[in-house]
């Protein structure tokens, strides 16, 4: 062992890493599991020089171990870690996967140009940025902010609302807090909905009452969890019978949906393994109607036509008739309200049909997809009006 040349910290909003040992500029690390849960996949930490050292121009080797026991070990092959030196631009850096090394290891290598570098599973979306997004949006003309409830850690569950139309639209993200691309998507969607100069936003507000929950799991987000809230509950398995003790976030949103009704819903997520953007639907619900399924299919066709950052070949298996899991949000909402509901999945890797060598899938592409989805929603609504 040589003297440590680096130090590693993760005691900040959404931080997650355990330092097992440092040898020179090489570190052996592990991911801390979600509180009261076995889920582990999200990491976010800072590397800086040890006292009297410099890391600018020095190769760092960061080995995250024990990943055969992570939530989705199939997500590590072909994955490159996110890195930033200014916390604005998040690029990718070389990362190699070896399932036979140290219980399954991802070895990240990087040569910083400055004296600090942040590494993360995906570009983080902090709670401070969330509050900035909510505050800025709530100040725009026609927007209202509603607190649907309080989380177990005492944080507000924010809902932004727009429009006076008859169509009830619900958009919600980050049931799984480590899927931070979902709130980057929200920035794009909210940019359209709150912009008085946007023709898409104006027409959506005319036709719809839009309810937008940018972050359904603020506790897990702040704690650095992958998939659960403050007490280890996977919120997207709670929609059939949410409780104040285990899943107050779902209970609050579902109660608000009961009050408004739902015609269209999109639940925004990220997928660890599939290198593509795709939709998942509700084909297996007991009360499936032909017009519901046709509406879901048509939205996918329109989004596919609008952007190369979406595709319809890769995705999840479709449930058999009557076999849908009604504890999942999209299935519950489609069954409960007769809505056209869908789960939007973005990759932690890249969208392979349109790859980006520098950033892979990124905050910027997530935000643009949010804008594209709003334009697609308007096209979908106009087409239905003319049917």
């Amino acid at each position: 062992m040589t003297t440590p040349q680096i130090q590693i910290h993760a005691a900040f909003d959404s931080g997650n890493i355990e330092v097992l040992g440092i040898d020179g500029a090489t570190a052996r690390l592990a991911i801390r599991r979600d509180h009261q849960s076995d889920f582990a996949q999200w990491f976010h930490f800072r590397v800086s020089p040890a006292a009297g050292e410099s890391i600018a121009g020095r190769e760092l080797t960061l080995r995250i171990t024990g990943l055969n026991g992570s939530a989705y070990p199939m997500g590590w092959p072909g994955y490159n870690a996110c890195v930033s030196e200014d916390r604005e631009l998040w690029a990718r850096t070389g990362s190699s996967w070896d399932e036979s090394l140290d219980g399954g290891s991802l070895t990240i290598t990087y040569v910083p140009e400055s004296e600090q570098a942040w590494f993360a599973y995906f570009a983080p979306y902090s709670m401070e940025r969330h509050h900035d997004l909510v505050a800025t949006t709530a100040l725009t003309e026609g927007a209202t902010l509603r607190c649907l409830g309080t989380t177990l850690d005492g944080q507000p569950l924010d809902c932004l609302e727009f429009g006076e139309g008859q169509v009830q639209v619900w958009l919600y993200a980050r049931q799984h807090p480590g899927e931070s691309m979902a709130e980057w998507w929200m920035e794009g969607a909210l940019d359209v909905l709150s912009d008085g100069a946007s023709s898409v936003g104006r027409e959506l507000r005319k036709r719809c009452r839009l309810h937008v929950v940018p972050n359904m799991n603020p506790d897990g987000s702040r704690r650095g969890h992958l998939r659960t809230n403050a007490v280890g509950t996977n919120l997207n398995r709670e929609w059939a019978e949410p409780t104040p003790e285990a899943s107050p976030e779902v209970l609050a949103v579902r109660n608000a949906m009961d009050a408004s009704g739902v015609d269209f819903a999109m639940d925004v997520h990220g997928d660890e393994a599939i290198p593509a953007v795709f939709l998942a639907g509700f084909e297996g619900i007991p009360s499936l109607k032909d017009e519901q399924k046709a509406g879901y299919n048509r939205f996918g066709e329109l989004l596919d036509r609008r952007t190369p950052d979406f595709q319809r070949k890769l995705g999840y298996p479709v449930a058999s008739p009557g076999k849908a899991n009604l504890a999942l949000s999209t299935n519950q909402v489609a069954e409960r309200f007769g809505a056209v509901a869908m789960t939007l999945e973005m990759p932690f890797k890249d969208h392979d049909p349109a790859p980006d060598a520098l950033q892979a899938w990124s905050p910027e592409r997530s935000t643009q997809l949010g804008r594209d989805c709003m334009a697609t929603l308007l096209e979908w609504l106009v087409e239905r009006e003319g049917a």
Side-chain angles (χ1 to χ4, degrees), residues 7-8 30 36 56 73-74 89-90 111 194 200 209 211 260 329 335 352 367:
Q7 53 184 338
I8 296 175
Q36 297 182 17
M74 69 290 253
L89 174 65
W90 287 86
V111 179
S194 64
V200 172
R209 181 64 173 169
H211 314 263
S260 69
S329 153
E335 175 72 13
D352 279 4
T367 300

Side-chain angles (χ1 to χ4, degrees), residues 83-365:
V83 62
S84 178
E85 295 187 30
D86 61 7
R87 301 206 302 165
E88 291 291 332
L89 174 65
W90 287 86
R92 300 292 178 131
T93 188
S95 308
S96 60
W97 165 248
D98 188 341
E99 65 178 352
S100 66
L101 177 64
D102 217 347
S105 293
L106 183 78
T107 301
I108 305 167
T109 56
Y110 182 67
V111 179
E113 296 180 358
S114 63
E115 296 296 354
Q116 70 279 315
W118 281 260
F119 298 86
Y121 190 38
F122 193 80
Y125 200 101
S126 71
M127 287 309 301
E128 282 303 306
R129 190 177 183 108
H130 165 84
H131 288 299
D132 287 344
L133 175 65
V134 169
T136 301
T137 306
L139 289 174
T140 59
E141 185 176 356
T144 58
L145 171 62
R146 183 157 63 119
C147 179
L148 300 182
T150 303
T151 68
L152 294 168
D153 280 346
Q155 297 192 78
L157 191 62
D158 295 318
C159 180
L160 293 155
E161 297 183 323
F162 308 84
E164 300 300 333
Q166 297 302 306
V167 180
Q168 297 293 326
V169 173
W170 279 83
L171 310 171
Y172 46 105
R174 291 190 85 180
Q175 289 201 77
H176 299 148
E179 297 165 14
S180 55
M181 62 281 288
E183 198 156 5
W184 290 109
W185 182 98
M186 279 290 177
E187 279 204 4
L190 288 169
D191 181 53
V192 171
L193 296 176
S194 64
D195 184 358
S198 168
S199 59
V200 172
R202 182 169 59 250
E203 292 299 321
L204 284 173
R205 294 190 300 271
K206 182 189 301 182
R207 289 169 167 81
C208 306
R209 181 64 173 169
L210 299 117
H211 314 263
V212 185
V213 183
N215 187 334
M216 270 196 64
N217 196 339
D219 292 352
S221 301
R222 180 174 286 166
R223 286 168 173 260
H225 287 188
L226 171 74
R227 205 165 170 85
T228 67
N229 69 0
V231 292
T233 302
N234 179 351
L235 297 184
N236 202 28
R237 299 298 184 274
E238 291 286 303
W239 282 74
E241 297 179 349
T243 67
E245 297 78 20
S247 49
E249 303 91 345
V250 174
L251 183 60
V253 172
R254 204 188 70 175
N255 284 347
M257 287 179 168
D258 283 343
S260 69
V262 185
D263 298 304
F264 178 95
M266 182 176 285
D267 180 17
V268 189
H269 285 259
D271 183 86
E272 290 79 5
I274 298 176
V277 178
F278 60 96
L279 290 174
F282 49 88
E283 293 85 351
I285 64 171
S287 67
L288 181 66
K289 302 176 183 65
D290 289 343
E291 58 269 25
Q292 255 181 309
K293 184 62 167 58
Y296 167 78
N297 288 340
R298 184 56 178 159
F299 187 92
E301 291 169 0
L302 293 173
L303 186 58
D304 197 2
R305 186 175 71 184
R306 179 168 293 275
T307 174
D309 275 350
F310 177 76
Q311 56 81 56
R312 291 180 293 150
K313 294 179 181 178
L314 300 176
Y316 297 146
V318 174
S320 301
K323 300 297 184 180
N325 181 358
L326 296 182
L328 274 69
S329 153
T330 290
N331 290 332
Q332 177 67 211
V333 170
E335 175 72 13
R336 192 181 191 91
F337 301 103
V340 173
M342 60 196 69
T343 303
L344 176 70
E345 296 281 358
M346 292 173 280
F348 280 90
K349 298 177 181 178
D350 200 353
H351 181 67
D352 279 4
D356 180 339
L358 175 63
Q359 290 185 281
W361 191 254
S362 65
E364 293 83 0
R365 293 173 79 180

Side-chain angles (χ1 to χ4, degrees), residues 31-68:
I31 296 174
R32 185 186 69 247
R33 296 187 181 278
D34 291 6
H35 182 58
Q36 297 182 17
S37 167
D38 287 333
F39 288 112
Q41 194 105 0
W42 171 263
F43 61 89
H44 179 201
F45 58 91
R46 189 190 78 171
V47 179
S48 58
E53 299 288 342
S54 171
I55 64 170
R58 173 174 289 170
E59 183 173 88
L60 309 177
T61 302
L62 311 167
R63 179 168 296 127
I64 304 177
T65 64
L67 296 179
N68 288 338

